[in-house]
Amino acid sequence: MTQALDQIFVLTKQWLLGFVPASAQPICSAILSVVPVLIGFPLLFAITTWLERKGLGRLQNRYGPNRTGPYGLFQPIADAIKSLTKEDIVPLTADHTVHFLAPVLLAAASFLGYAVLPIGRNMVLVNMNAGVLYFFAVGSVVELAVFMAGWSSRSKYSLLGAMRAIAQMISYEVPLVLASIVAIMQAGSLSTVAIVDKQAGYTGIWPHWFVFTPWGVVGFALFMIAATAESNRSPFDLPEGESEIIAGYYIEYSGFKFALFFLGEYLGMFATSGMAITLFLGGWSAPFSFLTWIPSYVWFFAKLLALIAGFIWIRGTLPRLRMDQLMSLAWEFILPMALLNMLDAGIWHFMPAGVLRWLVCTAIVAVPCVLLGQGLKRNKKFQVRTYQFAK
Amino acid sequence: MVGEGILKGLVETARNFFGSYVGKDRLTTVQYPEERLPQIEAARSFPFLVYDGPDWDKGMRCVACQICEKECPPKCILIKKSADKKPDAVGKPQFYPAVFNIDISVCMSCQICVEVCPFDAIKMDVDYDLSTDDRFGDLLLDKERLAKSNEYYNAIHPTEAAAVDAHFAEERAKAEAKAKAATEAKAAAEAKVAPAAQEQPVGGETQ
Ligand code: SF4
Ligand code: SF4
């Protein structure tokens, strides 16, 4: 029974495929796999916008949307109608083709990453043996789309926003990949399915998730910081900093194209969160051995929602970083820590299991983390600014 | 420790999050159409015309002197003076506005019209539910829509209105006293003239 429930989507698909001739089966199979993802995740996006506005409101002692429908639940629908019916304005001097293509490319690229995410047991669109590599490769197409948007709009704000976005995204791409390497090292495979399978076992009731190791928890933290920056979320939302450059690279967009940017951004966030779950939080596996009767996809989405809640919480708490702080965080803190973490994962692999291994590996990451943090703090020079021309 | 401040912040917002579900006093938002804040006396939105007595057209204080029309910075007042006269608040015969329009989509609530009006005829309203789906017609207020009673004025700006009323009462008393004095003087003059009139039957009254 639990088996059937767990595999219900897989079995349904196979049952449906039985009705089509064998020659048409590959294409039908692809469509049957892709369409639910194309519907499900935008739906999750709609729910998330509501959750985010409600949650942010409560974090700031406000109500959040509460007018459209019960508890403001129809807010996403109202937003969608609004953005669909709004006028689509394209600047006169803009490069029309590129201006149009940018949001389309962004949304399309954001979808590509889902191909390798194992949403449940046997539920992955493509079991690629270089899945993680593929994920980060298509993830960087987003940067191209962002720059297309900034460049084609022919606006200073757009271009500045795009430059910021590119600088930030490329800087954080490096720690993002380096932080994920530890999981790949441990699983010995680039395939997302293999990585999840490696974590799906239990010792007693405890799962073998990578996050429950010293290098895993550090890797997870670094990955999440980099993922926040990668998906342009607060406190790393400089590319769209409303108070500085209004909306960054998509300032010249309106109506549905603007909504597409939003969609792309959120899809990117879900995809990187999904990757974090796959790499460190055991993918679709249950947190305790006695909870395995709950279907695997439920666990995946529960974890995804938990991470989204974390993103919202962070967004409601932290102020935006300055550009130089952002860069120094990436290159002076996260990057060295990620490299050190790789060394730590290697040591963990070759040391015999036991308390000593735990102590040594924890010390290797914890001590430098504290020292680095203090060193960076001490290097902060606070001085009275003098203005050359303002005397 | 690294990240100590971040943790402190996270705890604070988490406290907000759960606290706002437990204690309603945290939520300061007033749910506007259902709830409203008490009216502030010094508040102001757009001008209105004060009238005395039960009939808005008869009791209108405005005498169509057009000072406010001239002073209004964005020129959103339009006044057309009447041809005939009628008694004003104090009882003197005055012109009255045949047309008095204020375009509140242009008005910037500067209150200059109120400051310059020598007759206390125009005052600031406090009503703010003015949104409408007719951008032109509904925001151009004519005489009838501008007219509000003195009681209403007393209700929204009690202190100010009391002073105005006191001033009017004084003016009226003065006018009455003057009228009385005039009639007395006239009576006295008549009394003085009366004996002479018997001797000179023509032209005595005109002096
Ligand atoms: S408040 Fe100012 S802008 Fe409005 S009608 Fe009076 S003078 Fe004109
Ligand atoms: S409102 Fe006052 S200033 Fe304006 S025309 Fe009437 S009496 Fe004159």
Side-chain angles (χ1 to χ4, degrees):
Chain A
M1 180 59 208
T2 53
Q3 265 291 314
L5 206 60
D6 191 22
Q7 296 300 307
I8 186 160
F9 294 114
V10 182
L11 295 175
T12 317
K13 184 181 144 189
Q14 270 159 10
W15 175 70
L16 282 174
L17 278 183
F19 292 104
V20 293
S23 57
Q25 266 186 9
I27 181 89
C28 286
S29 159
I31 290 171
L32 281 178
S33 310
V34 169
V35 168
V37 170
L38 285 186
I39 295 172
F41 281 93
L43 212 64
L44 186 66
F45 158 66
I47 297 168
T48 307
T49 54
W50 177 77
L51 278 179
E52 172 145 34
R53 293 175 66 174
K54 274 305 226 195
L56 274 184
R58 289 291 171 169
L59 289 173
Q60 297 159 354
N61 286 332
R62 293 183 289 109
Y63 285 99
N66 61 355
R67 296 280 148 181
T68 35
Y71 302 101
L73 256 175
F74 299 148
Q75 193 65 41
I77 301 172
D79 287 346
I81 293 172
K82 187 188 105 180
S83 62
L84 273 172
T85 52
K86 259 179 152 182
E87 188 185 353
D88 175 28
I89 300 166
V90 181
L92 197 63
T93 49
D95 187 334
H96 289 243
T97 327
V98 183
H99 191 266
F100 169 74
L101 277 180
V104 177
L105 182 66
L106 184 88
S110 310
F111 273 116
L112 285 178
Y114 292 98
V116 292
L117 279 187
I119 298 167
R121 192 180 275 117
N122 301 331
M123 284 165 72
V124 63
L125 295 190
V126 195
N127 183 6
M128 221 179 278
N129 57 8
V132 181
L133 192 63
Y134 163 83
F135 182 86
F136 290 122
V138 296
S140 51
V141 176
V142 170
E143 275 133 66
L144 181 66
V146 163
F147 199 68
M148 277 164 70
W151 181 259
S152 67
S153 298
R154 265 254 184 164
S155 150
K156 295 180 198 72
Y157 291 111
S158 286
L159 194 57
L160 274 175
M163 295 302 272
R164 278 184 175 202
I166 298 295
Q168 171 178 330
M169 284 169 140
I170 291 178
S171 302
Y172 276 89
E173 197 106 301
V174 179
L176 188 74
V177 177
L178 284 180
S180 60
I181 281 182
V182 287
I184 300 166
M185 281 164 72
Q186 195 66 18
S189 167
L190 273 168
S191 154
T192 47
V193 176
I195 292 172
V196 174
D197 283 342
K198 181 90 179 171
Q199 301 176 67
Y202 296 92
T203 308
I205 60 163
W206 304 105
H208 290 167
W209 296 0
F210 290 154
V211 75
F212 296 128
T213 54
W215 51 268
V217 68
V218 173
F220 177 65
L222 296 177
F223 189 92
M224 286 319 284
I225 294 172
T228 320
E230 201 48 29
S231 48
N232 292 339
R233 297 237 355 143
S234 177
F236 304 108
D237 55 351
L238 285 108
E240 55 192 270
E242 295 89 346
S243 48
E244 301 143 31
I245 44 172
I246 316 168
Y249 49 87
Y250 52 70
I251 182 177
E252 297 294 355
Y253 284 88
S254 57
F256 201 64
K257 288 189 199 157
F258 183 81
L260 273 184
F261 271 107
F262 237 66
L263 175 75
E265 203 155 278
Y266 274 79
L267 286 178
M269 178 178 108
F270 299 154
T272 28
S273 303
M275 193 36 94
I277 292 168
T278 305
L279 291 173
F280 298 103
L281 297 181
W284 40 258
S285 65
F288 299 108
S289 60
F290 53 83
L291 285 177
T292 41
W293 55 271
I294 296 176
S296 52
Y297 45 85
V298 173
W299 283 119
F300 180 84
F301 281 100
K303 287 172 194 175
L304 190 57
L305 281 175
L307 285 188
I308 290 170
F311 274 123
I312 295 173
W313 190 5
I314 295 280
R315 176 170 170 191
T317 305
L318 300 181
R320 186 179 304 135
L321 264 69
R322 225 169 43 212
M323 198 67 197
D324 60 325
Q325 294 171 332
L326 179 96
M327 286 300 165
S328 74
L329 181 69
W331 296 107
E332 292 175 9
F333 185 74
I334 299 184
L335 187 67
M337 283 308 294
L339 289 171
L340 195 72
N341 201 33
M342 279 162 64
L343 178 75
D344 195 35
I347 293 172
W348 174 274
H349 186 70
F350 288 111
M351 270 179 85
V355 182
L356 186 68
R357 180 167 84 160
W358 263 93
L359 288 179
V360 169
C361 287
T362 310
I364 287 177
V365 283
V367 173
C369 177
V370 173
L371 290 181
L372 203 58
Q374 275 175 354
L376 286 178
K377 233 186 226 167
R378 205 170 311 123
N379 277 347
K380 289 271 170 307
K381 293 178 282 296
F382 292 112
Q383 57 196 21
V384 181
R385 258 201 209 178
T386 51
Y387 295 94
Q388 203 182 342
F389 300 108
K391 292 220 167 91
Chain B
M1 246 296 278
V2 194
E4 200 179 338
I6 295 176
L7 284 183
K8 249 188 226 162
L10 286 175
V11 169
E12 185 61 39
T13 44
R15 202 179 287 145
N16 281 350
F17 186 85
F18 293 110
S20 67
Y21 282 101
V22 181
K24 280 277 170 248
D25 51 324
R26 273 174 176 273
L27 295 160
T28 49
T29 316
V30 177
Q31 296 293 304
Y32 158 62
E34 293 93 36
E35 299 167 23
R36 277 152 199 263
L37 287 175
Q39 193 68 56
I40 303 162
E41 204 188 320
R44 71 183 196 221
S45 59
F46 296 107
F48 71 97
L49 296 172
V50 191
Y51 68 84
D52 298 298
D55 188 347
W56 68 267
D57 202 18
K58 272 206 199 88
M60 191 156 282
R61 287 179 186 170
C62 175
V63 299
C65 70
Q66 293 181 311
I67 296 177
C68 56
E69 188 185 29
K70 286 195 194 76
E71 293 288 337
C72 172
K75 297 276 173 268
C76 63
I77 306 181
L78 172 78
I79 300 172
K80 290 216 176 95
K81 211 187 248 185
S82 64
D84 55 333
K85 293 192 178 188
K86 65 175 187 184
D88 72 348
V90 191
K92 252 204 276 177
Q94 295 273 25
F95 290 109
Y96 60 92
V99 174
F100 197 119
N101 288 346
I102 296 182
D103 189 347
I104 59 165
S105 65
V106 176
C107 173
M108 58 187 190
S109 308
C110 65
Q111 209 180 345
I112 286 178
C113 49
V114 176
E115 309 285 343
V116 297
C117 178
F119 297 91
D120 284 310
I122 191 165
K123 293 291 170 196
M124 292 311 268
D125 206 346
V126 290
D127 188 15
Y128 50 84
D129 307 284
L130 297 164
S131 57
T132 157
D133 44 19
D134 180 6
R135 185 169 152 197
F136 300 106
D138 281 353
L139 292 178
L140 183 67
L141 303 186
D142 59 9
K143 202 165 70 161
E144 185 170 358
R145 287 179 65 193
L146 283 170
K148 304 232 166 119
S149 68
N150 192 25
E151 286 73 52
Y152 174 78
Y153 178 41
N154 267 294
I156 57 171
H157 300 303
T159 327
E160 213 184 283
V164 170
D165 279 353
H167 173 242
F168 267 115
E170 202 179 295
E171 288 285 306
R172 259 188 225 112
K174 247 191 234 162
E176 246 162 55
K178 217 165 130 193
K180 214 166 138 196
T183 39
E184 262 166 26
K186 214 160 105 184
E190 264 168 18
K192 225 196 267 169
V193 164
Q198 278 173 343
E199 287 153 32
Q200 293 178 346
V202 187
E205 206 123 318
T206 45
Q207 284 160 5

